[in-house]
Amino acid sequence: MDYVLLTEQFLNGFQLGIILFLMAAGLTLVFGIMDLVNLAHGSMFMIGAFVGGTITLVTGSFIVGVVLMIPAMLIIGIIVEMTTLRTLYPRDHLDHVLATFGLILFFNEATRLVWGPEGLVVPLPDFLDGTVALGAITYPVYRIVIIAVGLLVALGLYILVSRTRIGMLIRAGASNRTMAGALGVNIPLLFSIVFGIGAVLAGLAGLIITPITAAQIGMGEDVLILAFVVIVIGGIGSIRGAFIASIVTGVIDTMGRSFLDVFLLLFLPENAAESAGPALSSMMIYILMAAILFFRPQGLFPPKGAG
Amino acid sequence: MLKKMLGTAAALTLLASPAAADIKIGFVTTLTTPVAVIGKDMRDAVELAVEHLGGKIGDDDIEIVYADDEFNSQKGKQATERLVLRDNVDIVTGYIWSNVLLASAPVVLNADKILISANAGPSPLAGAQCNANFFNIAWQNDQTPMALGELLNQQGVKSLYLVAPNYAAGQNMVAGVERTFKGKVVGKDMTVWPSQRDWSAELSKVKAAKPDGVFTFYPGPAGPAFIKQYQQAGLEGQVPLYSVYTLDSISLPLFQKAGMETVLGTKMTQFWAPDLDNAANKKFVGDFRKKYGRYPSFYAAQSYDAINYIASAVAAVDGDMNDTDGLRAALKKADFDSVRGKFTMGNNHFPIQNFYERTVVKDADGNWTTAVGKAVLTNHQDPYASQCKMK
């Protein structure tokens, strides 16, 4: 076995996992805590990429783009929550799906009107654009930065939810909305802020992947599906579960793409392995999800107090 | 009063119709989604072709009906159905994507209308499923990568790694290179199309395999993303990248804007280049640049050819679009000034033509473009023609 390649693929999977975590964390806050099925979370990923990308191109600095994207997404998130989503909380999940699907169409069209159909290419600053040697392997600097940023955000989120007053209110609102409200917590305001934080996390994920893939209309939808898989595997409403499940999903997906065809070649003829490999590897995480749902329907790490 | 006006209008229409019947051409391309940049380039070329024709073929006005396939084979098929059944176009052309063309072709052919692909050249339509009413004015999918395989042999590449998207055209491209490449294929990855935009896993495998060269095919905006990641992974400068349909006049300005100088000097193969030396091409490229301020892509060149190709056939039957036999015979002759220079139509209605080496260069004004080199394959016919029963 080639350990250099194996390590490199592990890092690739970890980096994909980090992006999934940033998406899934926001999704789990909104879905797990506010009980809102938000398909438009992928749109926040896209808007973050376009808004942050535009700021980067105007100011000439990617760092400024990232920093200014945060308040911009917080405001956009809060506006979306206050204008459309707020009225949906008492209704059932199917209405959520319908309304937020409408939001996807709206945001895609709006992005096309503002930025045109060709998308946005965001350059990286020179100091992030090369590779770095880590022992025997050379790895793109920027992908290491993505991993580092994701880990920092995970830590920050953990501290926010478990160690701060707003985190306590979020947890209280999640366990029993009515009781928390009766104790004087401003639930509507709290939910606006939570949704805003979710939008910032999704926007951050979208923006940091943009120098690699370029910003495209509809770029959030594929990631959104993976993020839903992640929160189902991790346990709905659990940040810790979302983190672990993201990394597991990212690594399994990458390992499948890189080694499954080689593995199949051991016992299949070349033609069959070549066509079965890509097909099977794109199914792997769904197989994983199905297996986990069968053995642990509540997910791997359900939040305390839930099912 | 209203009645009188309507009556007059109807009378005028009756009077006017024999003199200015419209030749209605349906043009299917991608006008929305991120790959709409390709559709825009094609549409610009079609508009230029119509302008060069003075808006007329003989006495008939040309009317182009554009339809959007939304980068999706089902939507493409529906768009084709609307053109054929509702708009009742005389002839259908366009089509960027092989999967869209394969889904849509039966709609046109079952209606006994003529279909001319301006880009997609999937192997079934060139071989066993060839059809008297189907013509391709671009190339068969395998041909350009076959030329590339030949170029790799000439460049002394002994080991090759292939990365391409897993759909009809991607599979054809890879098969084409493997058909002519004499060295060893050390790895092959077919990636999910069109959603996969991050190739970290594949690029890590390329790095580990240490090949002499990498072959890729990512049309549209996926191409710049792939090459950017190739650079970020530290592969550029270590393993030369060869491609088909990935670096073109649509992607090169993006690379230029991002200052990615390493793309300069990259080699590819193609049947056409903006600097190909013939009168039709000089007029096309010159006027295209004057009108739109940029180089045309090969998609544009083929679309321009498609309209002139149709015009030559319509002129041959004096505008009688019901004379399908006459149209077919004229199309088979392909007697028009193509921007690629002289070529002939094969028995399967796919071109027999030259394929040239192309290199990414800076032009005299500093714009990034491609320069044509020597012909790698001359008068080349695709390998599926022998499976086609037409003579």
Side-chain angles (χ1 to χ4, degrees):
Chain A
M1 194 74 230
D2 184 345
Y3 287 100
V4 172
L5 179 59
L6 198 66
T7 316
E8 211 171 292
Q9 295 297 27
F10 180 77
L11 282 175
N12 287 335
F14 201 86
Q15 181 250 304
L16 173 61
I18 290 287
I19 297 289
L20 291 179
F21 168 68
L22 291 177
M23 279 295 278
L27 206 56
T28 208
L29 282 175
V30 174
F31 186 28
I33 293 171
M34 292 152 66
D35 196 30
L36 174 81
V37 182
N38 179 23
L39 296 186
H41 199 62
S43 297
M44 295 297 129
F45 181 84
M46 175 184 72
I47 304 268
F50 275 93
V51 169
T54 306
I55 298 172
T56 304
L57 291 174
V58 169
T59 61
S61 160
F62 185 62
I63 310 287
V64 174
V66 174
V67 171
L68 290 184
M69 182 276 309
I70 294 171
M73 287 311 293
L74 192 65
I75 293 167
I76 292 170
I78 289 175
I79 290 173
V80 171
E81 197 273 345
M82 284 179 150
T83 50
T84 41
L85 300 179
R86 184 162 280 190
T87 52
L88 295 172
Y89 298 136
R91 311 181 71 147
D92 68 45
H93 282 168
L94 221 51
D95 289 355
H96 298 173
V97 169
L98 194 63
T100 53
F101 183 72
L103 279 180
I104 293 183
L105 301 179
F106 168 77
F107 282 119
N108 283 351
E109 250 353 272
T111 309
R112 196 190 321 283
L113 283 176
V114 176
W115 283 279
E118 60 270 358
L120 213 57
V121 175
V122 176
L124 271 181
D126 285 340
F127 67 96
L128 292 176
D129 212 6
T131 52
V132 66
L134 305 166
I137 69 169
T138 51
Y139 201 70
V141 178
Y142 185 62
R143 292 190 190 260
I144 294 183
V145 172
I146 292 182
I147 293 175
V149 167
L151 290 177
L152 277 177
V153 171
L155 183 69
L157 210 56
Y158 171 75
I159 293 171
L160 178 80
V161 173
S162 64
R163 295 276 182 275
T164 65
R165 185 174 166 77
I166 189 166
M168 187 186 77
L169 296 178
I170 290 173
R171 281 177 289 138
S175 331
N176 194 326
R177 199 182 304 181
T178 325
M179 183 56 88
L183 290 173
V185 179
N186 187 342
I187 294 287
L189 178 68
L190 181 69
F191 279 15
S192 293
I193 292 171
V194 169
F195 192 85
I197 294 172
V200 169
L201 291 172
L204 180 66
L207 181 55
I208 61 178
I209 202 70
T210 295
I212 292 180
T213 59
Q216 298 287 342
I217 292 161
M219 65 194 276
E221 277 121 63
D222 300 311
V223 186
L224 181 76
I225 297 169
L226 288 180
F228 267 112
V229 171
V230 161
I231 65 169
V232 169
I233 291 175
I236 292 160
S238 154
I239 299 275
R240 187 169 65 111
F243 182 75
I244 296 168
S246 301
I247 303 300
V248 168
T249 306
V251 169
I252 287 188
D253 186 59
T254 304
M255 291 297 177
R257 275 195 281 140
S258 32
F259 298 114
L260 203 62
D261 51 347
V262 185
F263 173 70
L264 288 175
L265 270 178
L266 296 177
F267 48 87
L268 278 178
E270 198 182 328
N271 272 345
E274 254 168 27
S275 50
L280 256 182
S281 66
S282 52
M283 282 192 274
M284 272 182 57
I285 56 161
Y286 302 102
I287 297 172
L288 174 76
M289 179 176 77
I292 284 173
L293 279 178
F294 182 77
F295 292 107
R296 276 182 76 93
Q298 71 276 40
L300 289 179
F301 305 95
K304 290 188 199 82
Chain B
M1 179 67 195
L2 184 69
K3 219 172 180 178
K4 202 174 162 191
M5 268 173 68
L6 279 173
T8 320
L12 278 174
T13 321
L14 278 175
L15 276 175
S17 56
D22 284 340
I23 302 293
K24 251 183 162 181
I25 301 172
F27 196 91
V28 180
T29 184
T30 309
L31 298 172
T32 54
T33 79
V35 292
V37 284
I38 300 176
K40 181 170 171 278
D41 217 39
M42 292 174 95
R43 187 164 61 180
D44 285 349
V46 169
E47 297 293 316
L48 183 67
V50 172
E51 196 180 299
H52 280 175
L53 289 166
K56 277 179 184 304
I57 305 173
D59 295 334
D60 303 320
D61 290 331
I62 304 172
E63 188 192 343
I64 311 273
V65 187
Y66 295 98
D68 183 13
D69 65 21
E70 300 176 47
F71 194 28
N72 172 316
S73 52
Q74 272 318 303
K75 298 277 173 60
K77 187 180 169 210
Q78 287 163 13
T80 308
E81 275 164 356
R82 278 197 299 276
L83 284 178
V84 172
L85 303 173
R86 188 192 68 189
D87 300 329
N88 197 24
V89 296
D90 298 306
I91 200 163
V92 183
T93 183
Y95 297 100
I96 305 173
W97 313 102
S98 295
N99 51 342
V100 177
L101 178 64
L102 286 170
S104 309
V107 177
V108 187
L109 301 175
N110 290 342
D112 199 33
K113 292 202 186 225
I114 286 176
L115 173 61
I116 297 173
S117 171
N119 186 68
S123 50
L125 286 168
Q129 293 171 33
C130 67
N131 188 296
N133 280 359
F134 176 79
F135 292 81
N136 178 305
I137 192 61
W139 24 261
Q140 198 279 315
N141 283 351
D142 289 41
Q143 287 184 293
T144 310
M146 280 174 80
L148 191 90
E150 202 51 55
L151 181 70
L152 290 169
N153 296 336
Q154 291 172 10
Q155 300 270 320
V157 174
K158 296 273 178 288
S159 61
L160 184 70
Y161 202 106
L162 306 146
V163 186
N166 195 14
Y167 81 108
Q171 286 148 5
N172 280 176
M173 297 299 155
V174 164
V177 172
E178 287 185 301
R179 219 179 259 279
T180 49
F181 176 60
K182 292 201 181 74
K184 191 171 155 33
V185 172
V186 291
K188 174 152 99 177
D189 281 312
M190 302 300 283
T191 66
V192 182
W193 178 260
S195 61
Q196 186 178 338
R197 278 298 172 82
D198 190 338
W199 296 278
S200 56
E202 290 75 16
L203 292 174
S204 290
K205 285 171 81 178
V206 169
K207 235 193 290 179
K210 297 191 176 65
D212 291 345
V214 173
F215 166 76
T216 194
F217 160 70
Y218 280 102
F226 182 86
I227 292 174
K228 226 167 148 201
Q229 290 173 39
Y230 198 80
Q231 188 181 29
Q232 282 167 2
L235 278 160
E236 203 139 31
Q238 296 197 2
V239 186
L241 181 67
Y242 297 89
S243 60
V244 291
Y245 308 120
T246 302
L247 287 164
D248 54 36
S249 309
I250 294 171
S251 60
L252 285 174
L254 294 176
F255 286 112
Q256 185 173 9
K257 225 187 280 170
M260 288 168 60
E261 299 268 341
T262 38
V263 172
L264 292 167
T266 309
K267 287 194 186 303
M268 71 201 83
T269 48
Q270 203 123 45
F271 78 108
W272 168 86
D275 60 338
L276 200 61
D277 194 13
N278 65 62
N281 198 38
K282 282 207 176 102
K283 185 177 176 202
F284 164 61
V285 176
D287 287 356
F288 191 98
R289 292 189 67 189
K290 218 179 292 160
K291 189 166 180 190
Y292 304 112
R294 61 172 199 275
Y295 276 104
S297 68
F298 64 91
Y299 300 105
Q302 293 155 192
S303 307
Y304 182 84
D305 260 7
I307 298 302
N308 286 312
Y309 184 40
I310 291 170
S312 72
V314 172
V317 294
D318 284 331
D320 179 8
M321 296 307 283
N322 294 323
D323 182 7
T324 314
D325 287 335
L327 281 172
R328 270 198 295 257
L331 286 172
K332 187 123 200 197
K333 272 193 213 130
D335 185 17
F336 73 105
D337 287 329
S338 167
V339 294
R340 82 199 78 180
K342 263 275 159 260
F343 76 99
T344 53
M345 259 307 164
N347 65 309
N348 58 347
H349 297 175
F350 275 68
I352 299 175
Q353 59 190 341
N354 292 352
F355 288 85
Y356 305 91
E357 175 189 332
R358 292 208 311 183
T359 314
V360 180
V361 294
K362 273 185 201 166
D363 73 5
D365 308 325
N367 298 313
W368 293 13
T369 179
T370 55
V372 67
K374 61 183 185 311
V376 182
L377 297 175
T378 47
N379 293 330
H380 186 256
Q381 183 166 33
D382 67 85
Y384 302 95
S386 55
Q387 295 165 26
C388 171
K389 286 195 190 71
M390 292 193 298
K391 287 285 162 238

